[in-house]
Amino acid sequence: MARVRAVRQLVGPDVGLAVDCNQGLTLERALRTARRLEECGLLWIEEPFARDDIESYCRLAGATEIPLAAGEREFGLEGFRRLAAARAVSIVQPDLLRVGGVTGWRLAAGLAEANRLRVAPHFYKEYDVHLAASLTNLVAIEWFDWLDPLLVSPLEVRDGRAVVPERPGFGVEFRPEAVREYEVRGTIR
């Protein structure tokens, strides 16, 4: 709680702030935590429970004004259908590689739109930015720089907004020297 409050104080009220619980809370702890965090003006609480604990998601969603987000661990659309049908979350987080590539991602985003849910894609920002640019229900694109040293042109962010590249396709190109660092030599038997 102290960390979240300190970050909110540091960045001010106009910067979006979310909390990721990594599926680590019990319902009781999530209820207590959400009550205490409501004053922080969070964009969302992410994955407070295991992906299949729909009942806890529903109970927490009914007890807090903070939107709940989940979906990054869903393989295919069925999990998104369950979350949407139960009104368990306000924000879905399709993961491009887990949900079934571009087609699965678009289907998850369409399901969200049809159910008046928002979208905050998970992890693959250089790919997600192209897909997200077509949405009317986008909240945010997850951003971090962990993989940037591997890329010729990492996603550019200007004034807090992702810039959609104008390169052909997704425009993702790995730096040759970065790829060589991970090269495996020898025979695989």
Side-chain angles (χ1 to χ4, degrees), residues 125-138:
K125 62 185 171 42
E126 283 79 16
Y127 295 95
D128 291 332
V129 68
H130 296 277
L131 300 168
S134 70
L135 300 181
T136 59
N137 56 338
L138 178 72

Side-chain angles (χ1 to χ4, degrees), residues 58-165:
C58 289
R59 289 189 55 195
L60 181 59
T64 184
E65 294 179 12
I66 303 171
L68 302 184
E72 71 183 56
R73 292 180 184 355
E74 298 297 342
F75 289 85
L77 289 180
E78 190 52 39
F80 291 102
R81 285 189 186 109
R82 284 192 318 272
L83 290 166
R87 304 303 295 168
V89 297
S90 300
I91 301 164
V92 298
Q93 299 178 292
D95 180 294
L96 186 70
L97 294 186
R98 290 181 180 141
V99 76
V102 170
T103 300
W105 195 106
R106 291 290 306 146
L107 289 170
L111 180 69
E113 184 174 32
N115 285 278
R116 296 189 172 140
L117 303 175
R118 294 173 293 159
V119 176
H122 176 253
F123 199 80
Y124 302 99
K125 62 185 171 42
E126 283 79 16
Y127 295 95
D128 291 332
V129 68
H130 296 277
L131 300 168
S134 70
L135 300 181
T136 59
N137 56 338
L138 178 72
V139 177
I141 296 173
E142 187 169 39
W143 185 91
F144 50 84
D145 60 1
W146 307 334
L147 303 177
D148 288 0
L150 303 177
L151 303 175
V152 172
S153 300
L155 179 65
E156 180 183 352
V157 176
R158 265 190 245 135
D159 298 323
R161 298 197 181 273
V163 177
V164 179

